[in-house]
Amino acid sequence: MTHNKKLKTYPLTKAKHVKVHGRTTQTLTPLTLFWTGSGIELNIKGSELWIEIEADYQVYEHWISIVINGAPMSRLMVTAGRHWICLLRGMNPNMVKNVRVVKDVQPMSFDSRILLQIHALKVDGELLPVTDKPYKVEFIGDSITSGEGTIGAKEETDWVPMLFTALHNYTAITAEALNADYRVLSQSGWGVLTSWDNNPHANIPAYYEQICGVLSGERNEALGAFSDHDFTSWQPDVVVVNLGTNDGGSLLFSRMDGPSKRESVQATLERGRDIQ
């Protein structure tokens, strides 16, 4: 591949006009992405753009979507390690392109190694300001809000990150229709008071005031996931709560006999819903 000698590398702290989406800390060295739909947005006047991204996980990998000028252009699995990923190349250097990098997969609450960070950018042009949308919407929910199973063939039933999406999702669709910026806080299988399997610790309200308290592990603690969220930093005009489905399911689960309950738990564990 021909090397573009005009490319310049900028850590996020030096890259002007990068807009951060999603609830996170104020740290850009690097930027940690926790929630579904989180990411970065920028306007670039140039022909080539790369991001330096780092990922880690124990079982379930990360997926991201790349959106250019409002159209989904690519979707890829982020393998473990620190890599440079090309977002666009060879485009008209005189045209301004709006680019978004979107995290497709929810925070995996049981995986203490889960990590997705953006360190730096490489661009051969200039970054221009990104205009805020006139409204802000916050979505709180479970698997429906996480976009579980809303991408892929209809017959797919595996519980894998590949089948999670932040774009083919009512949250993104609603935000686009309202011309709003948005944030998502969601966990598959969780509810208002309890999870689908009657686990009282797996409820969203218990962690709502933290940045991403649904996670676990010393590294996530060091990254600020369990710190109090600064609600003055981003105040939504509307909050949409889509919870309760799993609370209702937990009543059915609690009434199962022993063998049926064991079979249900085993089937779910095999699909990855090991809520701890």
mmCIF file of all heavy atoms in Angstrom, residues 218-261:
data_model
loop_
_atom_site.group_PDB
_atom_site.id
_atom_site.type_symbol
_atom_site.label_atom_id
_atom_site.label_comp_id
_atom_site.label_asym_id
_atom_site.label_seq_id
_atom_site.Cartn_x
_atom_site.Cartn_y
_atom_site.Cartn_z
ATOM 1 N N GLU A 218 -10.910 -4.957 38.734
ATOM 2 C CA GLU A 218 -10.057 -3.871 39.197
ATOM 3 C C GLU A 218 -9.708 -2.900 38.071
ATOM 4 O O GLU A 218 -9.582 -1.697 38.301
ATOM 5 C CB GLU A 218 -8.774 -4.443 39.800
ATOM 6 C CG GLU A 218 -9.007 -5.223 41.091
ATOM 7 C CD GLU A 218 -7.720 -5.770 41.672
ATOM 8 O OE1 GLU A 218 -6.654 -5.551 41.051
ATOM 9 O OE2 GLU A 218 -7.770 -6.401 42.744
ATOM 10 N N ARG A 219 -9.522 -3.403 36.860
ATOM 11 C CA ARG A 219 -9.166 -2.494 35.770
ATOM 12 C C ARG A 219 -10.306 -1.536 35.465
ATOM 13 O O ARG A 219 -10.080 -0.333 35.278
ATOM 14 C CB ARG A 219 -8.783 -3.263 34.504
ATOM 15 C CG ARG A 219 -8.432 -2.321 33.356
ATOM 16 C CD ARG A 219 -7.713 -3.014 32.231
ATOM 17 N NE ARG A 219 -8.510 -4.019 31.566
ATOM 18 C CZ ARG A 219 -8.059 -4.784 30.573
ATOM 19 N NH1 ARG A 219 -6.809 -4.683 30.171
ATOM 20 N NH2 ARG A 219 -8.833 -5.676 30.010
ATOM 21 N N ASN A 220 -11.533 -2.043 35.425
ATOM 22 C CA ASN A 220 -12.662 -1.156 35.181
ATOM 23 C C ASN A 220 -12.831 -0.141 36.310
ATOM 24 O O ASN A 220 -13.216 1.002 36.062
ATOM 25 C CB ASN A 220 -13.938 -1.978 34.996
ATOM 26 C CG ASN A 220 -14.001 -2.649 33.641
ATOM 27 O OD1 ASN A 220 -13.781 -2.008 32.613
ATOM 28 N ND2 ASN A 220 -14.290 -3.936 33.623
ATOM 29 N N GLU A 221 -12.523 -0.560 37.522
ATOM 30 C CA GLU A 221 -12.566 0.384 38.638
ATOM 31 C C GLU A 221 -11.532 1.483 38.439
ATOM 32 O O GLU A 221 -11.814 2.671 38.637
ATOM 33 C CB GLU A 221 -12.319 -0.352 39.952
ATOM 34 C CG GLU A 221 -12.367 0.559 41.172
ATOM 35 C CD GLU A 221 -12.171 -0.176 42.473
ATOM 36 O OE1 GLU A 221 -11.769 -1.361 42.429
ATOM 37 O OE2 GLU A 221 -12.397 0.435 43.539
ATOM 38 N N ALA A 222 -10.314 1.098 38.034
ATOM 39 C CA ALA A 222 -9.251 2.078 37.808
ATOM 40 C C ALA A 222 -9.586 3.022 36.661
ATOM 41 O O ALA A 222 -9.184 4.195 36.663
ATOM 42 C CB ALA A 222 -7.935 1.358 37.520
ATOM 43 N N LEU A 223 -10.336 2.537 35.678
ATOM 44 C CA LEU A 223 -10.736 3.372 34.542
ATOM 45 C C LEU A 223 -11.874 4.328 34.883
ATOM 46 O O LEU A 223 -12.234 5.170 34.070
ATOM 47 C CB LEU A 223 -11.147 2.483 33.366
ATOM 48 C CG LEU A 223 -10.021 1.719 32.676
ATOM 49 C CD1 LEU A 223 -10.589 0.721 31.669
ATOM 50 C CD2 LEU A 223 -9.069 2.681 31.983
ATOM 51 N N GLY A 224 -12.443 4.186 36.070
ATOM 52 C CA GLY A 224 -13.502 5.100 36.493
ATOM 53 C C GLY A 224 -14.903 4.604 36.253
ATOM 54 O O GLY A 224 -15.863 5.364 36.421
ATOM 55 N N ALA A 225 -15.060 3.335 35.909
ATOM 56 C CA ALA A 225 -16.390 2.814 35.606
ATOM 57 C C ALA A 225 -17.335 2.902 36.793
ATOM 58 O O ALA A 225 -18.544 3.091 36.622
ATOM 59 C CB ALA A 225 -16.294 1.365 35.127
ATOM 60 N N PHE A 226 -16.799 2.783 38.010
ATOM 61 C CA PHE A 226 -17.650 2.761 39.197
ATOM 62 C C PHE A 226 -17.774 4.139 39.849
ATOM 63 O O PHE A 226 -18.434 4.275 40.880
ATOM 64 C CB PHE A 226 -17.112 1.760 40.215
ATOM 65 C CG PHE A 226 -16.802 0.403 39.637
ATOM 66 C CD1 PHE A 226 -15.760 -0.363 40.139
ATOM 67 C CD2 PHE A 226 -17.542 -0.108 38.580
ATOM 68 C CE1 PHE A 226 -15.470 -1.609 39.600
ATOM 69 C CE2 PHE A 226 -17.264 -1.345 38.028
ATOM 70 C CZ PHE A 226 -16.221 -2.104 38.539
ATOM 71 N N SER A 227 -17.146 5.131 39.254
ATOM 72 C CA SER A 227 -17.230 6.491 39.797
ATOM 73 C C SER A 227 -18.615 7.088 39.559
ATOM 74 O O SER A 227 -19.348 6.667 38.657
ATOM 75 C CB SER A 227 -16.177 7.386 39.142
ATOM 76 O OG SER A 227 -14.877 6.899 39.379
ATOM 77 N N ASP A 228 -18.962 8.064 40.360
ATOM 78 C CA ASP A 228 -20.252 8.743 40.190
ATOM 79 C C ASP A 228 -20.269 9.504 38.867
ATOM 80 O O ASP A 228 -19.293 10.166 38.500
ATOM 81 C CB ASP A 228 -20.499 9.711 41.340
ATOM 82 C CG ASP A 228 -20.746 8.996 42.660
ATOM 83 O OD1 ASP A 228 -21.108 7.805 42.635
ATOM 84 O OD2 ASP A 228 -20.566 9.631 43.711
ATOM 85 N N HIS A 229 -21.380 9.397 38.174
ATOM 86 C CA HIS A 229 -21.545 10.132 36.918
ATOM 87 C C HIS A 229 -21.875 11.593 37.207
ATOM 88 O O HIS A 229 -22.663 11.904 38.107
ATOM 89 C CB HIS A 229 -22.669 9.501 36.106
ATOM 90 C CG HIS A 229 -23.047 10.277 34.889
ATOM 91 N ND1 HIS A 229 -22.141 10.578 33.889
ATOM 92 C CD2 HIS A 229 -24.237 10.837 34.503
ATOM 93 C CE1 HIS A 229 -22.752 11.272 32.949
ATOM 94 N NE2 HIS A 229 -24.011 11.445 33.298
ATOM 95 N N ASP A 230 -21.276 12.494 36.443
ATOM 96 C CA ASP A 230 -21.553 13.926 36.562
ATOM 97 C C ASP A 230 -22.767 14.250 35.688
ATOM 98 O O ASP A 230 -22.663 14.397 34.477
ATOM 99 C CB ASP A 230 -20.338 14.729 36.108
ATOM 100 C CG ASP A 230 -20.577 16.233 36.163
ATOM 101 O OD1 ASP A 230 -21.627 16.653 36.713
ATOM 102 O OD2 ASP A 230 -19.739 16.991 35.637
ATOM 103 N N PHE A 231 -23.926 14.360 36.306
ATOM 104 C CA PHE A 231 -25.165 14.564 35.550
ATOM 105 C C PHE A 231 -25.258 15.961 34.954
ATOM 106 O O PHE A 231 -26.098 16.201 34.086
ATOM 107 C CB PHE A 231 -26.377 14.277 36.443
ATOM 108 C CG PHE A 231 -26.626 12.807 36.651
ATOM 109 C CD1 PHE A 231 -26.044 12.148 37.726
ATOM 110 C CD2 PHE A 231 -27.408 12.078 35.782
ATOM 111 C CE1 PHE A 231 -26.250 10.795 37.927
ATOM 112 C CE2 PHE A 231 -27.630 10.724 35.960
ATOM 113 C CZ PHE A 231 -27.042 10.074 37.037
ATOM 114 N N THR A 232 -24.409 16.880 35.397
ATOM 115 C CA THR A 232 -24.435 18.220 34.803
ATOM 116 C C THR A 232 -23.700 18.259 33.463
ATOM 117 O O THR A 232 -23.835 19.204 32.702
ATOM 118 C CB THR A 232 -23.794 19.248 35.753
ATOM 119 O OG1 THR A 232 -22.391 18.948 35.913
ATOM 120 C CG2 THR A 232 -24.471 19.215 37.113
ATOM 121 N N SER A 233 -22.921 17.216 33.169
ATOM 122 C CA SER A 233 -22.104 17.223 31.951
ATOM 123 C C SER A 233 -22.927 16.969 30.694
ATOM 124 O O SER A 233 -22.509 17.350 29.594
ATOM 125 C CB SER A 233 -21.000 16.167 32.060
ATOM 126 O OG SER A 233 -21.549 14.860 32.147
ATOM 127 N N TRP A 234 -24.063 16.318 30.848
ATOM 128 C CA TRP A 234 -24.915 15.999 29.686
ATOM 129 C C TRP A 234 -26.317 15.772 30.222
ATOM 130 O O TRP A 234 -26.581 14.771 30.886
ATOM 131 C CB TRP A 234 -24.399 14.749 28.981
ATOM 132 C CG TRP A 234 -24.926 14.507 27.596
ATOM 133 C CD1 TRP A 234 -24.406 14.970 26.417
ATOM 134 C CD2 TRP A 234 -26.067 13.713 27.235
ATOM 135 N NE1 TRP A 234 -25.151 14.507 25.356
ATOM 136 C CE2 TRP A 234 -26.172 13.732 25.825
ATOM 137 C CE3 TRP A 234 -27.014 12.985 27.952
ATOM 138 C CZ2 TRP A 234 -27.182 13.057 25.130
ATOM 139 C CZ3 TRP A 234 -28.024 12.313 27.280
ATOM 140 C CH2 TRP A 234 -28.099 12.357 25.879
ATOM 141 N N GLN A 235 -27.212 16.701 29.928
ATOM 142 C CA GLN A 235 -28.561 16.638 30.485
ATOM 143 C C GLN A 235 -29.575 16.385 29.377
ATOM 144 O O GLN A 235 -29.796 17.245 28.513
ATOM 145 C CB GLN A 235 -28.887 17.927 31.236
ATOM 146 C CG GLN A 235 -27.984 18.148 32.441
ATOM 147 C CD GLN A 235 -28.367 19.374 33.247
ATOM 148 O OE1 GLN A 235 -28.821 20.376 32.706
ATOM 149 N NE2 GLN A 235 -28.174 19.300 34.547
ATOM 150 N N PRO A 236 -30.205 15.212 29.382
ATOM 151 C CA PRO A 236 -31.167 14.884 28.322
ATOM 152 C C PRO A 236 -32.454 15.684 28.441
ATOM 153 O O PRO A 236 -32.884 16.060 29.534
ATOM 154 C CB PRO A 236 -31.424 13.395 28.537
ATOM 155 C CG PRO A 236 -31.172 13.183 30.000
ATOM 156 C CD PRO A 236 -30.061 14.131 30.360
ATOM 157 N N ASP A 237 -33.067 15.926 27.292
ATOM 158 C CA ASP A 237 -34.396 16.539 27.263
ATOM 159 C C ASP A 237 -35.471 15.491 27.516
ATOM 160 O O ASP A 237 -36.538 15.802 28.038
ATOM 161 C CB ASP A 237 -34.632 17.200 25.898
ATOM 162 C CG ASP A 237 -33.610 18.282 25.606
ATOM 163 O OD1 ASP A 237 -33.657 19.326 26.262
ATOM 164 O OD2 ASP A 237 -32.748 18.061 24.725
ATOM 165 N N VAL A 238 -35.176 14.254 27.126
ATOM 166 C CA VAL A 238 -36.125 13.150 27.277
ATOM 167 C C VAL A 238 -35.362 11.917 27.761
ATOM 168 O O VAL A 238 -34.260 11.641 27.283
ATOM 169 C CB VAL A 238 -36.826 12.819 25.940
ATOM 170 C CG1 VAL A 238 -37.750 11.621 26.089
ATOM 171 C CG2 VAL A 238 -37.594 14.024 25.416
ATOM 172 N N VAL A 239 -35.946 11.177 28.696
ATOM 173 C CA VAL A 239 -35.404 9.893 29.131
ATOM 174 C C VAL A 239 -36.432 8.813 28.809
ATOM 175 O O VAL A 239 -37.587 8.894 29.235
ATOM 176 C CB VAL A 239 -35.088 9.889 30.639
ATOM 177 C CG1 VAL A 239 -34.598 8.508 31.072
ATOM 178 C CG2 VAL A 239 -34.053 10.952 30.973
ATOM 179 N N VAL A 240 -36.011 7.812 28.039
ATOM 180 C CA VAL A 240 -36.879 6.712 27.638
ATOM 181 C C VAL A 240 -36.470 5.472 28.432
ATOM 182 O O VAL A 240 -35.327 5.026 28.337
ATOM 183 C CB VAL A 240 -36.776 6.427 26.123
ATOM 184 C CG1 VAL A 240 -37.660 5.249 25.740
ATOM 185 C CG2 VAL A 240 -37.154 7.672 25.325
ATOM 186 N N VAL A 241 -37.396 4.904 29.199
ATOM 187 C CA VAL A 241 -37.117 3.712 29.991
ATOM 188 C C VAL A 241 -37.897 2.545 29.406
ATOM 189 O O VAL A 241 -39.128 2.581 29.347
ATOM 190 C CB VAL A 241 -37.498 3.915 31.469
ATOM 191 C CG1 VAL A 241 -37.201 2.648 32.273
ATOM 192 C CG2 VAL A 241 -36.754 5.111 32.054
ATOM 193 N N ASN A 242 -37.171 1.522 28.970
ATOM 194 C CA ASN A 242 -37.789 0.330 28.387
ATOM 195 C C ASN A 242 -37.341 -0.883 29.207
ATOM 196 O O ASN A 242 -36.545 -1.702 28.767
ATOM 197 C CB ASN A 242 -37.387 0.193 26.916
ATOM 198 C CG ASN A 242 -38.153 -0.903 26.204
ATOM 199 O OD1 ASN A 242 -39.072 -1.489 26.752
ATOM 200 N ND2 ASN A 242 -37.763 -1.179 24.977
ATOM 201 N N LEU A 243 -37.848 -0.973 30.430
ATOM 202 C CA LEU A 243 -37.517 -2.052 31.357
ATOM 203 C C LEU A 243 -38.799 -2.704 31.874
ATOM 204 O O LEU A 243 -39.874 -2.103 31.799
ATOM 205 C CB LEU A 243 -36.713 -1.520 32.550
ATOM 206 C CG LEU A 243 -35.262 -1.126 32.313
ATOM 207 C CD1 LEU A 243 -34.711 -0.380 33.525
ATOM 208 C CD2 LEU A 243 -34.414 -2.352 32.015
ATOM 209 N N GLY A 244 -38.671 -3.893 32.413
ATOM 210 C CA GLY A 244 -39.812 -4.593 33.002
ATOM 211 C C GLY A 244 -40.047 -5.968 32.423
ATOM 212 O O GLY A 244 -40.611 -6.839 33.086
ATOM 213 N N THR A 245 -39.617 -6.171 31.187
ATOM 214 C CA THR A 245 -39.807 -7.476 30.547
ATOM 215 C C THR A 245 -39.136 -8.581 31.345
ATOM 216 O O THR A 245 -39.722 -9.652 31.576
ATOM 217 C CB THR A 245 -39.245 -7.453 29.120
ATOM 218 O OG1 THR A 245 -39.905 -6.439 28.365
ATOM 219 C CG2 THR A 245 -39.445 -8.802 28.435
ATOM 220 N N ASN A 246 -37.893 -8.347 31.773
ATOM 221 C CA ASN A 246 -37.169 -9.382 32.506
ATOM 222 C C ASN A 246 -37.672 -9.543 33.932
ATOM 223 O O ASN A 246 -37.601 -10.647 34.485
ATOM 224 C CB ASN A 246 -35.671 -9.062 32.505
ATOM 225 C CG ASN A 246 -35.089 -9.171 31.113
ATOM 226 O OD1 ASN A 246 -35.058 -10.232 30.524
ATOM 227 N ND2 ASN A 246 -34.647 -8.041 30.567
ATOM 228 N N ASP A 247 -38.204 -8.469 34.519
ATOM 229 C CA ASP A 247 -38.820 -8.596 35.843
ATOM 230 C C ASP A 247 -39.999 -9.559 35.776
ATOM 231 O O ASP A 247 -40.171 -10.413 36.644
ATOM 232 C CB ASP A 247 -39.297 -7.229 36.335
ATOM 233 C CG ASP A 247 -38.166 -6.239 36.522
ATOM 234 O OD1 ASP A 247 -37.765 -5.612 35.527
ATOM 235 O OD2 ASP A 247 -37.676 -6.101 37.646
ATOM 236 N N GLY A 248 -40.801 -9.413 34.719
ATOM 237 C CA GLY A 248 -41.944 -10.308 34.543
ATOM 238 C C GLY A 248 -41.502 -11.740 34.311
ATOM 239 O O GLY A 248 -42.085 -12.691 34.841
ATOM 240 N N GLY A 249 -40.440 -11.914 33.517
ATOM 241 C CA GLY A 249 -39.940 -13.256 33.247
ATOM 242 C C GLY A 249 -39.374 -13.916 34.483
ATOM 243 O O GLY A 249 -39.412 -15.148 34.615
ATOM 244 N N SER A 250 -38.861 -13.111 35.416
ATOM 245 C CA SER A 250 -38.275 -13.684 36.624
ATOM 246 C C SER A 250 -39.336 -14.353 37.488
ATOM 247 O O SER A 250 -39.049 -15.307 38.214
ATOM 248 C CB SER A 250 -37.566 -12.598 37.436
ATOM 249 O OG SER A 250 -38.499 -11.686 38.008
ATOM 250 N N LEU A 251 -40.576 -13.856 37.418
ATOM 251 C CA LEU A 251 -41.668 -14.482 38.181
ATOM 252 C C LEU A 251 -41.930 -15.889 37.682
ATOM 253 O O LEU A 251 -42.129 -16.824 38.452
ATOM 254 C CB LEU A 251 -42.934 -13.632 38.080
ATOM 255 C CG LEU A 251 -42.845 -12.219 38.664
ATOM 256 C CD1 LEU A 251 -44.136 -11.464 38.409
ATOM 257 C CD2 LEU A 251 -42.539 -12.276 40.157
ATOM 258 N N LEU A 252 -41.906 -16.052 36.353
ATOM 259 C CA LEU A 252 -42.083 -17.379 35.768
ATOM 260 C C LEU A 252 -40.914 -18.280 36.145
ATOM 261 O O LEU A 252 -41.110 -19.448 36.509
ATOM 262 C CB LEU A 252 -42.197 -17.271 34.251
ATOM 263 C CG LEU A 252 -42.291 -18.588 33.471
ATOM 264 C CD1 LEU A 252 -43.550 -19.342 33.886
ATOM 265 C CD2 LEU A 252 -42.298 -18.320 31.969
ATOM 266 N N PHE A 253 -39.700 -17.737 36.103
ATOM 267 C CA PHE A 253 -38.512 -18.518 36.438
ATOM 268 C C PHE A 253 -38.565 -19.001 37.883
ATOM 269 O O PHE A 253 -38.225 -20.144 38.189
ATOM 270 C CB PHE A 253 -37.257 -17.673 36.215
ATOM 271 C CG PHE A 253 -35.974 -18.381 36.520
ATOM 272 C CD1 PHE A 253 -35.377 -19.193 35.573
ATOM 273 C CD2 PHE A 253 -35.354 -18.228 37.761
ATOM 274 C CE1 PHE A 253 -34.189 -19.859 35.849
ATOM 275 C CE2 PHE A 253 -34.167 -18.888 38.042
ATOM 276 C CZ PHE A 253 -33.584 -19.704 37.083
ATOM 277 N N SER A 254 -39.022 -18.136 38.793
ATOM 278 C CA SER A 254 -39.043 -18.483 40.210
ATOM 279 C C SER A 254 -40.054 -19.583 40.511
ATOM 280 O O SER A 254 -39.943 -20.276 41.526
ATOM 281 C CB SER A 254 -39.363 -17.239 41.053
ATOM 282 O OG SER A 254 -40.672 -16.775 40.780
ATOM 283 N N ARG A 255 -41.047 -19.770 39.614
ATOM 284 C CA ARG A 255 -42.072 -20.786 39.830
ATOM 285 C C ARG A 255 -41.722 -22.126 39.180
ATOM 286 O O ARG A 255 -42.454 -23.094 39.325
ATOM 287 C CB ARG A 255 -43.423 -20.295 39.293
ATOM 288 C CG ARG A 255 -44.005 -19.120 40.086
ATOM 289 C CD ARG A 255 -45.427 -18.838 39.665
ATOM 290 N NE ARG A 255 -46.009 -17.777 40.454
ATOM 291 C CZ ARG A 255 -46.075 -16.507 40.071
ATOM 292 N NH1 ARG A 255 -45.577 -16.149 38.898
ATOM 293 N NH2 ARG A 255 -46.631 -15.601 40.850
ATOM 294 N N MET A 256 -40.622 -22.177 38.417
ATOM 295 C CA MET A 256 -40.228 -23.435 37.781
ATOM 296 C C MET A 256 -39.822 -24.463 38.832
ATOM 297 O O MET A 256 -39.321 -24.120 39.898
ATOM 298 C CB MET A 256 -39.030 -23.203 36.841
ATOM 299 C CG MET A 256 -39.342 -22.454 35.575
ATOM 300 S SD MET A 256 -37.837 -22.315 34.554
ATOM 301 C CE MET A 256 -38.492 -21.438 33.140
ATOM 302 N N ASP A 257 -40.027 -25.744 38.490
ATOM 303 C CA ASP A 257 -39.513 -26.790 39.364
ATOM 304 C C ASP A 257 -38.001 -26.913 39.166
ATOM 305 O O ASP A 257 -37.423 -26.319 38.264
ATOM 306 C CB ASP A 257 -40.204 -28.127 39.107
ATOM 307 C CG ASP A 257 -40.068 -28.606 37.660
ATOM 308 O OD1 ASP A 257 -39.082 -28.227 36.999
ATOM 309 O OD2 ASP A 257 -40.942 -29.357 37.192
ATOM 310 N N GLY A 258 -37.347 -27.687 40.024
ATOM 311 C CA GLY A 258 -35.893 -27.786 39.995
ATOM 312 C C GLY A 258 -35.321 -28.192 38.661
ATOM 313 O O GLY A 258 -34.451 -27.501 38.114
ATOM 314 N N PRO A 259 -35.759 -29.306 38.061
ATOM 315 C CA PRO A 259 -35.199 -29.728 36.764
ATOM 316 C C PRO A 259 -35.387 -28.703 35.661
ATOM 317 O O PRO A 259 -34.478 -28.436 34.874
ATOM 318 C CB PRO A 259 -35.953 -31.023 36.467
ATOM 319 C CG PRO A 259 -36.365 -31.534 37.814
ATOM 320 C CD PRO A 259 -36.668 -30.317 38.620
ATOM 321 N N SER A 260 -36.582 -28.092 35.604
ATOM 322 C CA SER A 260 -36.848 -27.100 34.561
ATOM 323 C C SER A 260 -35.955 -25.881 34.744
ATOM 324 O O SER A 260 -35.447 -25.306 33.779
ATOM 325 C CB SER A 260 -38.318 -26.675 34.590
ATOM 326 O OG SER A 260 -39.162 -27.769 34.314
ATOM 327 N N LYS A 261 -35.753 -25.483 35.985
ATOM 328 C CA LYS A 261 -34.914 -24.317 36.259
ATOM 329 C C LYS A 261 -33.464 -24.595 35.878
ATOM 330 O O LYS A 261 -32.798 -23.760 35.272
ATOM 331 C CB LYS A 261 -35.020 -23.937 37.740
ATOM 332 C CG LYS A 261 -34.335 -22.640 38.098
ATOM 333 C CD LYS A 261 -34.600 -22.261 39.545
ATOM 334 C CE LYS A 261 -36.058 -21.900 39.773
ATOM 335 N NZ LYS A 261 -36.286 -21.370 41.138
#
